[in-house]
Amino acid sequence: MSLQERVKEKVDCIYQRLRTHVTNIGSSTGSQRHVFFVFGASGDLAKKKIYPTLWWLYRDGFVPENTCFIGYARSQLTVEKIFQNAAKYMKVQDDEREKYEQFIKINSYVHGSYDKPEDFERLNEETNKISGQATAHRFFYLALPPSVYGSVSEMISKHCRPESPGFLRLIVEKPFGKDLESSNKLSEHLSKFYSEEELYRIDHYLGKEMVQNIIVLRFSNKIFSRVWNRDSIAAVNIIFKEDIGTQGRGGYFDEFGIIRDVIQNHLMQILSIVAMEKPRSTTGEDIRDEKVKVLRCIAPIKLEDVVIGQYIGDKDSTDPERQKGYLDDDGVPKDSRTPTYAQVVLFVNNERWDGVPFILRAGKALNEKKAEIRIQFRDVPGGMFDEELTEHGVKGTLARDELVIRVQPNEAIYLKVNTKRPGEMGFSIEETELDLTYNERYQDVKLPDAYERLILDVFTGSKINFVRSDELQEAWRIVDPILAEIDKKKVPVIPYKFGAVGLREAFAGAAMHGYIYTGTYVWKDERSGSIGSSSQDKERSKSFGKEKK
C-alpha cells in the first residue's frame, strides 16, 4: 500500500467514526429529530455558503438522522426558488442527483417578519408540523444583517424554543457589533435570552484547515516549543490579501471598513492562537481561556502603528472591474474615507512575547488572493559566513529563517532556511525551504470547507472554533480606540492602485519594527514557473522592502 493510500485509509476511518457519532446525536434510539433553520434564506450568504454547506454535509453523511431544514425570510419564496438561486454554488455531480433530490425534499420555507411575535408563533407551529416532534433539537443560523439580530434572537427565544428535552443552538454571524459599545450591547442582549452554552458566534477563519493546524503544530512538536518566544522570534506577520474589490457591496462595507471587517476578527483570532500559552486540554473552554489570556496582554493600538489606504481604479487595465476604484462602487459616498487596506502593529506584553511585533495586514483589490502567517526568526549571531557572502556579492548578513503557514490558497507549511548551494566549492549559500504542501502530500484527501467544519461543530456541540463573549470584548478593546481616533482626527487614507502589491508606507512600518524583507527568496512554484512571473518579480522589487513570497 502506498503512502497516499495509507493516509486516505486513515482519514476515511476517522470520517466514518465521525459520521456514526453525528448521525446518533441526541438519542441512543435514533428517534430524536433535528431542525436546522436558515434565517435570511433569501440572502447572498445563504445562497452562496449556507445551503451549499448543508448539502455537502448531507451528501457526505455528516447530518444527524431525522433532520429537516427550514428557511425563513421576509421574501415570498418557495423551496424550488431557493435551490434555483443556489444551484451554481451546490457543485452537484451527475451521480449525486438522486441524493440531491432527497435533500431538497427535506427542506421547507416559511416567510414572515423579523420582529412580530405572531410570525414566530406561526413558525413554531409549522416547525412542529414539519418535524412531527415538539421536542426536536433546533439549530438557528442567523445569516442576517446585524441590524435585526436583536429582534430575531429575542423572538426565537420567546416563541420558538423546543419543548424539553430538546435543546437550542443559535449561530450568529459576524460582525458582532461595530465597536466595543455596540458589541457589548449585543452580548448583553443575547445573554438575557440565551446561555453562553447555546451561543455559537461564527468566525469562518477558525474553521480553516491551516488555522486549526496551528495548535497541533505548536504543541505537538518539541522543535517548535523551544523557539516559540521572544528569544528566537523577531516578528510575526499575519497577512490577508484579496484580489477583488467590494463588487457592489460597497454600501455594506463602508459601514465597517477593513479593520472591523477583517483585522478585528479573523486576524485577531489567528494572533491569539499563535501567541497563546499551552492549554490544559483540547476542550473548547480550555483553548478559549488561553486565547482570552493573551488578548488581555495586548494594549490598544496606537495611531503611529497604523497605516490605512483605499484603492483607486487602474485606468490602464483592460478589466472593467479593475478600472473602478472604491469610490466608484454604488452605495459608497464620494467623500468616504473608509479604509480598504490597513496595517496595525500590536505587542503582547508578557514574558514570552515582550518586544515582539505582531504585524496584522489586510487589504482588498491587491495583486493576489492570499492569507498566511509569517514567523520570522532572529539573525544568527556571529559573522562566520560574512566573508563568503561578500565574495558572492551578497550585502549584509544571512537571510533570516522564516516559518510560513499558508492558510489559503494552496495550503502549505514551509520553513525557509539557508543551505549550501549544491555543486559549488566552498560555502556558497542560498535560501530554500523545508516544505509541506498539502496538495502534494495529501493528494487524495479532501479538505472540508470552513463552513462545513463549523456547522458540523454546531451539530456535535464542539465550541473550540467559536468566539466566546470575553474574547470578543477583548478584541474590541484593542481595536476600538484607534477606530475612534481615525474618525476624530480624519486620518487620510493613502490611495493605491487596484492590483498593487500593497502600500510602501506599510512595508516601511513593518521594517521599522524589525521585520526584514530581503527580496532574495523565490517560492518553489515561481522557480518552476507555475505561479508568478519575472515581470511580477520586477514589480515587487520596485516596492519598498520587496515583499517576498
Side-chain angles (χ1 to χ4, degrees), residues 4 209-210 406 409-413 435-447 523-525 530-531:
Q4 295 295 342
E209 176 73 32
M210 302 311 295
R406 177 72 63 86
N410 303 321
E411 293 89 345
I413 302 169
D435 167 47
L436 169 59
T437 297
Y438 270 50
N439 61 16
E440 295 175 5
R441 177 64 173 80
Y442 304 114
Q443 292 180 9
D444 297 321
V445 177
K446 173 188 174 290
L447 296 182
W523 169 238
K524 64 172 188 173
D525 287 336
S530 61
I531 295 180

Side-chain angles (χ1 to χ4, degrees), residues 125-137:
E125 292 172 3
E126 289 294 319
T127 301
N128 290 338
K129 291 178 185 177
I130 292 167
S131 66
Q133 192 178 76
T135 59
H137 300 323

Side-chain angles (χ1 to χ4, degrees), residues 457-524:
D457 282 343
V458 175
F459 281 134
T460 61
S462 172
K463 305 205 73 173
I464 293 174
N465 301 309
F466 295 88
V467 182
R468 205 167 63 189
S469 60
D470 49 354
E471 285 182 76
L472 191 59
Q473 184 174 26
E474 290 301 320
W476 276 117
R477 176 191 61 79
I478 295 164
V479 170
D480 197 48
I482 194 62
L483 292 171
E485 194 170 0
I486 288 171
D487 289 341
K488 182 179 179 181
K489 295 184 177 180
K490 297 185 177 180
V491 176
V493 289
I494 303 166
Y496 64 95
K497 192 178 289 187
F498 200 127
V501 173
L503 286 182
R504 178 186 295 263
E505 291 82 356
F507 300 151
M512 183 181 69
H513 284 288
Y515 188 86
I516 294 178
Y517 300 85
T518 62
T520 55
Y521 173 76
V522 180
W523 169 238
K524 64 172 188 173

